[in-house]
Amino acid sequence: MSDLLTLSNVETYYGPVMAIRGVSMTVRTGDVTCLLGANGAGKTTVLKTISGAMEPQKGEILFNGESLKGLAPDVIARRGIAHVPEGREVFAFLSVEDNLKMGAYSRRDSRVASDLALVYDYFPVLRDKRRQSAALLSGGQQQMLAIGRALMLRPQLMLLDEPSLGLSPKLVAEIADIIVRLNQEQGVTVLLVEQNAAMALSRSDFGYVLENGRIVMEDKAAVLADAPDVQEFYLGMKDDGVRGGRRWKKRKTWR
Amino acid sequence: MDALQLLVAGVSQGCVYGLIALGFVLIYKATEVVNFAQGELMMIGAFIAYTFINILAWPYFYGVLATLLSMAVIGVVLERLLIRPMLGEPPFAVLMLTIGLGFLLRAVAGAIWGAEPKTLSTPYASDVLQLGEIIVGYGNLAIVLGTGVLCLALFLFFRYSRLGIAMQAASQNQLAAVYSGIPVARLVTGVWAVSALIAAIAGVLVAPVSLIDPQIGFIGVKAFAAAIVGGFGSLPGAMVGGLLIGIAEQFAGLYLPPGFSDVTAYIILLVMLFVRPQGIFASMMQKKV
């Protein structure tokens, strides 16, 4: 399969603080790729750099073989990258349907109406509430709305930033399943950023682990899920029954 | 009957405040910038109309049309030239910039058109409408009708047009709008054009009733109070705030000692800030954390 998105040696700063330190990664067409990491590892910054909200100081980002350097985020979105930001940023005072239509603002083709129906098929609850303002939706419904709005762009690549944040376990599983269905049925390539490593790894084809702004592990998701370091530090499993303690002594293999 | 006559005068004056307040609110909602030169834009609009209609002697209708077009262009140019380069600067700096712009526009208008008051001639302004014992000048009637039509047009535009909804989206959540591929920068330019257009309409409507001179832009200060009273960030609120202040001023002028009429706007503003600081139409919901 071909590479849809390639980052090579990307460095991004918040003022003087280097947030990502030379990240290189690849998202292959048709895959669900996940990017794991703890709080502050730089996951969100990686996504913001891809979608153009932040400008990388160094390195190169190729999408479909073309550089995204210097493009404004709305231009990048129109090229086919839909970013669903953390915290489900919806247009709070617009109706659900207007929110979705705004996702297709840049499109001029005639399939917008059928895509709207498609989004409603994936998220029936949104159809029921399509006249309500988005502020009145629950957290999970807002997340669905944000994903649905991104789908309305008909993107080649969807960047999902912590879609499980603040949702109940049942909803997390529901949304994760829909992401997989979107990937398989609509052919949307997905780059999924998650703290919920168990959910992300079980749904992904390939995974990266980000720590302190660096990629420290990368492999097929199934392999990552079996790696002892990932199991201990991200999946919360332990290889022995000793309570507490061990964690502080043991060092990660990449340190 | 006195009261009714005052009410009519107040509504007409309030519409003018409301129109300028609309301009404040539009730009504020879209960009979180307060454009303190909004009153001066109205003044420039009135002078441009005067130039087309009185100096160049164009027919009234075409003169107004040309005024609206030129003001929309001026709005675009101001945004591109002055506001866009300030992107990312603190709001305070942009605010100072617009205050400076107000001074500049006053000086420029004084240099071009001179300081002595002018009157915009219209086909209608000298006539009055007699309704029982109430006398309404056509000039005032035009203000009220024009404002009504404009409000309806704005409502339809923001409620139903794709562009209008996109402008709302961009003002509600700029980040999400950009990620959805909405060209926010271009929409912001559009908002400035619309807001300059509204200022021009206010200028064209007010010019036949009151005289035009470079100082009439100071009406913007009262309009700003109207915008706050209405709940900064609410378009209907801006209109209601404007009407409230306009009407109150007229009554204060008659029933209170001399001088009170001019401070009514600020008294209402103070009372409002004590009683209901979010304004009449509190559209701003507390941002969820």
Side-chain angles (χ1 to χ4, degrees):
Chain A
M1 265 191 276
S2 60
D3 296 342
L4 183 61
L5 180 80
T6 317
L7 277 71
S8 35
N9 280 316
V10 172
E11 291 182 2
T12 309
Y13 289 75
Y14 282 102
V17 183
M18 197 197 268
I20 56 179
R21 305 153 180 261
V23 164
S24 299
M25 58 187 290
T26 302
V27 177
R28 279 192 307 257
T29 312
D31 270 9
V32 176
T33 305
C34 70
L35 179 61
L36 306 176
N39 270 337
K43 306 184 298 289
T44 299
T45 313
V46 170
L47 290 196
K48 282 184 176 169
T49 309
I50 296 171
S51 64
M54 294 182 72
E55 190 75 22
Q57 217 90 359
K58 273 190 197 155
E60 194 178 36
I61 303 174
L62 295 179
F63 180 62
N64 277 329
E66 288 175 45
S67 172
L68 297 180
K69 193 177 175 60
L71 295 183
D74 53 314
V75 177
I76 291 179
R78 272 173 259 145
R79 291 239 174 137
I81 300 182
H83 186 165
V84 181
E86 194 177 354
R88 29 182 185 272
E89 306 276 346
V90 295
F91 304 123
F93 303 109
L94 295 187
S95 72
V96 167
E97 185 148 318
D98 280 343
N99 263 270
L100 292 174
K101 282 182 178 164
M102 281 299 114
Y105 182 79
S106 55
R107 290 175 55 189
R108 289 281 180 272
D109 54 301
S110 55
R111 286 173 51 214
V112 174
S114 66
D115 280 349
L116 189 64
L118 184 82
V119 170
Y120 284 147
D121 289 343
Y122 277 103
F123 305 104
V125 71
L126 296 184
R127 176 178 283 139
D128 300 338
K129 307 208 166 193
R130 63 181 186 276
R131 305 253 168 265
Q132 281 189 21
S133 83
L136 299 175
L137 298 183
S138 74
Q141 290 161 354
Q142 287 188 0
Q143 186 65 60
M144 292 176 190
L145 181 58
I147 296 175
R149 187 183 60 202
L151 192 63
M152 290 297 287
L153 192 67
R154 272 282 162 195
Q156 288 174 276
L157 174 66
M158 200 183 272
L159 310 176
L160 289 162
D161 198 350
E162 302 259 6
S164 74
L165 190 77
L167 301 183
S168 72
K170 185 170 170 285
L171 264 177
V172 170
E174 200 181 321
I175 286 188
D177 289 341
I178 287 178
I179 292 169
V180 172
R181 280 179 59 205
L182 290 178
N183 172 250
Q184 288 168 358
E185 297 166 13
Q186 304 301 323
V188 183
T189 305
V190 174
L191 176 56
L192 174 65
V193 154
E194 263 301 335
Q195 284 195 53
N196 187 339
M199 183 274 258
L201 284 174
S202 68
R203 262 82 174 185
S204 303
D205 301 297
F206 203 87
Y208 290 87
V209 177
L210 191 69
E211 202 165 276
N212 290 320
R214 288 194 181 87
I215 300 283
V216 291
M217 289 181 89
E218 55 173 283
D219 215 321
K220 292 201 173 69
V223 179
L224 274 188
D226 284 337
D229 284 325
V230 174
Q231 288 197 338
E232 178 166 356
F233 295 108
Y234 291 100
L235 299 174
M237 296 183 217
K238 292 218 181 85
D239 49 4
D240 55 17
V242 183
R243 286 217 277 163
R246 298 271 306 170
R247 194 190 159 106
W248 311 106
K249 291 178 197 148
K250 201 171 161 190
R251 305 190 66 185
K252 295 172 186 172
T253 48
W254 56 76
R255 281 273 164 81
Chain B
M1 269 306 125
D2 255 6
L4 215 52
Q5 186 72 56
L6 282 178
L7 193 67
V8 170
V11 167
S12 135
Q13 184 64 39
C15 282
V16 177
Y17 293 149
L19 284 180
I20 301 171
L22 278 184
F24 279 124
V25 171
L26 266 180
I27 288 181
Y28 178 74
K29 278 184 77 161
T31 60
E32 311 217 327
V33 165
V34 177
N35 172 26
F36 267 108
Q38 192 66 29
E40 274 68 31
L41 285 180
M42 181 200 81
M43 177 266 294
I44 294 290
F47 269 122
I48 290 181
Y50 173 80
T51 309
F52 279 122
I53 295 165
N54 281 42
I55 300 181
L56 300 176
W58 287 22
Y60 180 75
F61 178 74
Y62 294 110
V64 169
L65 215 60
T67 305
L68 300 190
L69 271 177
S70 345
M71 282 305 287
V73 171
I74 287 177
V76 169
V77 169
L78 284 181
E79 198 274 336
R80 283 288 162 91
L81 221 60
L82 297 178
I83 306 299
R84 186 153 320 167
M86 296 293 281
L87 203 76
E89 301 293 332
F92 177 72
V94 188
L95 186 131
M96 291 309 288
L97 180 79
T98 65
I99 293 178
L101 176 65
F103 276 96
L104 185 75
L105 290 179
R106 274 200 295 281
V108 168
I112 298 178
W113 290 287
E116 66 200 68
K118 310 272 191 298
T119 322
L120 178 68
S121 47
T122 62
Y124 60 81
S126 50
D127 296 330
V128 293
L129 185 69
Q130 184 98 29
L131 285 171
E133 288 174 42
I134 313 166
I135 295 168
V136 191
Y138 273 110
N140 291 339
L141 206 60
I143 290 178
V144 177
L145 287 181
T147 307
V149 170
L150 180 70
C151 285
L152 185 68
L154 280 178
F155 171 76
L156 293 176
F157 173 69
F158 281 114
R159 187 76 183 73
Y160 295 108
S161 82
R162 226 164 88 92
L163 189 61
I165 296 174
M167 279 181 180
Q168 283 189 65
S171 94
Q172 286 171 21
N173 195 330
Q174 207 152 8
L175 189 74
V178 163
Y179 284 162
S180 304
I182 296 174
V184 172
R186 235 182 298 159
L187 291 189
V188 166
T189 310
V191 166
W192 274 79
V194 170
S195 156
L197 199 75
I198 295 175
I201 292 175
V204 167
L205 289 174
V206 89
V209 179
S210 70
L211 301 169
I212 321 170
D213 69 61
Q215 307 302 320
I216 57 170
F218 282 120
I219 196 179
V221 183
K222 283 181 189 169
F224 185 65
I228 295 175
V229 167
F232 224 95
S234 157
L235 292 177
M239 257 350 274
V240 172
L243 287 174
L244 187 72
I245 287 180
I247 293 168
E249 255 185 9
Q250 294 295 325
F251 281 90
L254 186 67
Y255 295 115
L256 294 178
F260 266 91
S261 157
D262 270 341
V263 294
T264 321
Y266 313 113
I267 294 174
I268 293 178
L269 175 62
L270 279 178
V271 170
M272 199 64 192
L273 288 178
F274 276 122
V275 178
R276 193 178 155 81
Q278 69 272 41
I280 303 172
F281 291 78
S283 73
M284 296 297 191
M285 238 190 253
Q286 211 112 51
K287 200 166 190 175
K288 277 188 205 162
V289 182

